[in-house]
Amino acid sequence: MPRRGLTSDEQALWTALTRSVRPLRPGARISSLPTPPTPAKDGTGLTAPSAQAFATAPARTPAATLDSGWERRIRSGNLTPDMTIDLHGHSLSAAYSRLNQALASAWARDVRILLVVTGKPPKSPSASGGSRRGAIRGEIGHWLETSSYADRIASVRIAHRRHGGDGALYVILRRKK
């Protein structure tokens, strides 16, 4: 089947899109326009997208949110948290509530680095003795992903040893626009 070219409207949209996108690897440039596959016609005369159109669609990759300076500061422990919340000794529901309150407070006060102390997970399944040690630590990722502040979180990283190591997390918030 012959492939159709882009219409002038599609060409203009493609050009505008390529100007607005920042490449992941600046040296790698796409030299030519992609040629969309020809959609197959069904019995109704309407065109339906082919399976190949979905297979060749570029996957959305999340852009890196922290630069190398941030990474270096995290590894070396040269970060100073602007705010700290300790969730030790709280039930799951109380910890969830406190985390949401802390995120709201941090966002209102333009905090960039929130240190969340969750406690270290058990070293082995038998070390927990059947109790739910590490339950907050196990849930915190889900809580942050589904919170109303998820779009305002730039990154979540394990804290440096001086700030609690595996028992704490840095929640790095985006700057307000």
Side-chain angles (χ1 to χ4, degrees), residues 12-81:
L13 284 172
W14 178 255
T15 303
L17 175 71
T18 56
R19 285 188 192 139
S20 69
V21 175
R22 199 178 69 199
L24 292 175
R25 290 181 217 100
R29 294 270 182 197
I30 298 174
S31 59
S32 64
L33 293 173
T35 310
T38 305
K41 290 194 177 204
D42 61 3
T44 63
L46 300 174
T47 57
S50 66
Q52 183 184 7
F54 292 111
T56 59
R60 293 187 64 190
T61 56
T65 55
L66 298 179
D67 62 12
S68 60
W70 274 99
E71 298 295 341
R72 208 172 18 257
R73 290 173 56 204
I74 291 170
R75 270 194 313 275
S76 66
N78 289 335
L79 288 177
T80 304

Side-chain angles (χ1 to χ4, degrees), residues 127-150:
S128 65
S131 68
R132 295 259 330 211
R133 272 196 70 204
I136 293 172
R137 178 62 182 213
E139 291 292 322
I140 192 103
H142 176 71
W143 291 346
L144 291 171
E145 286 175 1
T146 59
S147 81
S148 58
Y149 295 94

Side-chain angles (χ1 to χ4, degrees), residues 103-165:
L103 287 170
S105 175
W107 184 253
R109 296 189 311 173
D110 290 331
V111 166
R112 285 299 306 273
I113 304 168
L114 172 65
L115 179 67
V116 180
V117 180
T118 61
K120 292 188 179 187
K123 292 184 190 308
S124 67
S126 62
S128 65
S131 68
R132 295 259 330 211
R133 272 196 70 204
I136 293 172
R137 178 62 182 213
E139 291 292 322
I140 192 103
H142 176 71
W143 291 346
L144 291 171
E145 286 175 1
T146 59
S147 81
S148 58
Y149 295 94
D151 60 331
R152 298 171 188 153
I153 297 173
S155 185
V156 178
R157 302 294 168 91
I158 295 173
H160 189 268
R161 271 191 347 213
R162 74 173 55 143
H163 292 129

